[in-house]
Amino acid sequence: MGTMKHARLLFFCLILLRSAICSAQSDAAKDYFSRGDALMAEKRYADALVAYDSAALSGGAGFDLSYNTGVAAYRTGRSGLAALHWERARRLRPADADVRHNLRVAYARAKDGLQDPEDTAWIRLRDLAGADGWGWAALLLAFAGAAGLAGFLYLPPDKKRLWAGTAGSAALLLALCCFWLARAQSLRGEGRYVVVVAPRAVLLTAPDAAATPLDTLREAAKLPLLDRFGGYYQVALPNGEEPYVEADKVGVI
C-alpha cells in the first residue's frame, strides 16, 4: 500500500510540474510576442524576428504569430522565410486576403518560372472558407434541399411544386459540392511542401553533396515534398523530375 501511495504522489507531482512548465512557457511566449510587436512598431524588424522566433520556441503558435513573423522576415529581406510563415498562417485561415496577397508578392521574388502548386482555380475555391465553413454550408443546403423535395412531394401539382422540386434538387447538389470542399480542406494537411529560405538552393540528382547539380532555385521557390533522406529532401518539379535539396536550405510547410 505504501508503494502505491508513493507512486500516486509522484504521479500527481509530475502532473503539477508539467502544468507549471506549460504555464511558464505560455507566459514566456506571450512576453516574447508582445516584445516582437513593440519592436515592429519601432521598425526594428530584425530584432522583432528574433523575438517572434523566441515566442515560437517557448511554445507559442497561432495565426498572429505566424503572420507577424512573416512580416518581420519580409521586412528584413528574407522573402523565403516570410513565405514559409505566411503559408503556415494560410493553413490556419485559408480565406485571409492579406495572407494570400503577401504570398503572391513573396513568390514573385522567386523568378524561377515555377507556379505556386497551390495556386489553382480549385484551390482558390476551396480556400474561400475553412473545413467548418464548408461543412455548415453543406448542412444548411442539405436541409434546404430536403425541404424543397418535401414540397415537391406534398404540394398540389402546380408551378410551386415544380419550383420546390427544382430548388430542392439544386440545393442538394450544392450541398454535395460543399461537402467535398469541406473534406478537401480537412485533408489539405496531408500534402506537404517546401519553401526555399536560403538565397539559393541547388537541386541534386541524388541525396549526396557529391551528386550532380541539376538546377538552382531562388529564395521563396515552393515545391511539393516527396520524402526525406538524411539531410536532404526529395521534391517534385513540374516537368516530372524528382531531385533532392539540402534540408537546411528549405522550410517545410
Side-chain angles (χ1 to χ4, degrees):
M1 292 293 292
T3 303
M4 288 294 295
K5 288 182 179 180
H6 286 303
R8 289 176 182 174
L9 180 60
L10 178 61
F11 177 72
F12 285 120
C13 287
L14 289 174
I15 291 178
L16 291 174
L17 178 61
R18 179 177 176 80
S19 299
I21 292 174
C22 290
S23 177
Q25 288 179 332
S26 177
D27 291 341
K30 291 178 181 178
D31 290 342
Y32 281 124
F33 181 79
S34 298
R35 175 169 172 75
D37 286 348
L39 291 167
M40 286 282 285
E42 298 174 7
K43 297 184 179 181
R44 295 168 57 185
Y45 302 118
D47 293 333
L49 182 58
V50 173
Y52 289 138
D53 285 341
S54 298
L57 292 173
S58 299
F63 175 85
D64 290 336
L65 180 57
S66 295
Y67 183 86
N68 290 5
T69 304
V71 173
Y74 189 82
R75 292 291 187 178
T76 58
R78 303 182 64 183
S79 57
L81 186 62
L84 175 67
H85 287 284
W86 284 333
E87 283 285 5
R88 291 170 178 171
R90 180 165 70 166
R91 274 152 176 70
L92 297 174
R93 294 186 191 173
D96 190 275
D98 290 334
V99 172
R100 298 177 68 84
H101 170 75
N102 291 351
L103 281 170
R104 285 194 294 270
V105 172
Y107 286 139
R109 286 196 170 190
K111 298 179 182 178
D112 280 307
L114 297 174
Q115 181 184 4
D116 180 359
E118 293 188 287
D119 188 19
T120 63
W122 162 251
I123 298 298
R124 289 194 292 271
L125 175 62
R126 182 199 67 186
D127 287 349
L128 288 176
D132 291 340
W134 286 121
W136 279 108
L139 184 62
L140 292 174
L141 285 168
F143 277 121
L149 292 182
F152 178 77
L153 292 173
Y154 296 108
L155 286 174
D158 54 14
K159 288 186 177 180
K160 290 183 178 179
R161 180 173 184 247
L162 179 61
W163 277 110
T166 303
S169 299
L172 288 176
L173 287 174
L174 288 173
L176 185 61
C177 292
C178 289
F179 168 77
W180 283 111
L181 287 166
R183 187 171 185 276
Q185 276 289 28
S186 65
L187 294 176
R188 68 175 299 167
E190 294 183 2
R192 306 297 300 276
Y193 296 85
V194 296
V195 176
V196 177
V197 296
R200 296 285 188 277
V202 178
L203 296 175
L204 304 170
T205 56
D208 191 301
T212 303
L214 184 65
D215 200 352
T216 301
L217 296 178
R218 294 177 184 266
E219 185 175 8
K222 177 183 175 184
L223 293 169
L225 171 62
L226 300 177
D227 206 345
R228 176 161 188 166
F229 296 86
Y232 295 85
Y233 287 119
Q234 186 178 26
V235 297
L237 294 179
N239 62 7
E241 293 181 306
E242 299 178 353
Y244 301 83
V245 62
E246 291 180 86
D248 60 358
K249 302 293 185 182
V250 300
V252 178
I253 304 167

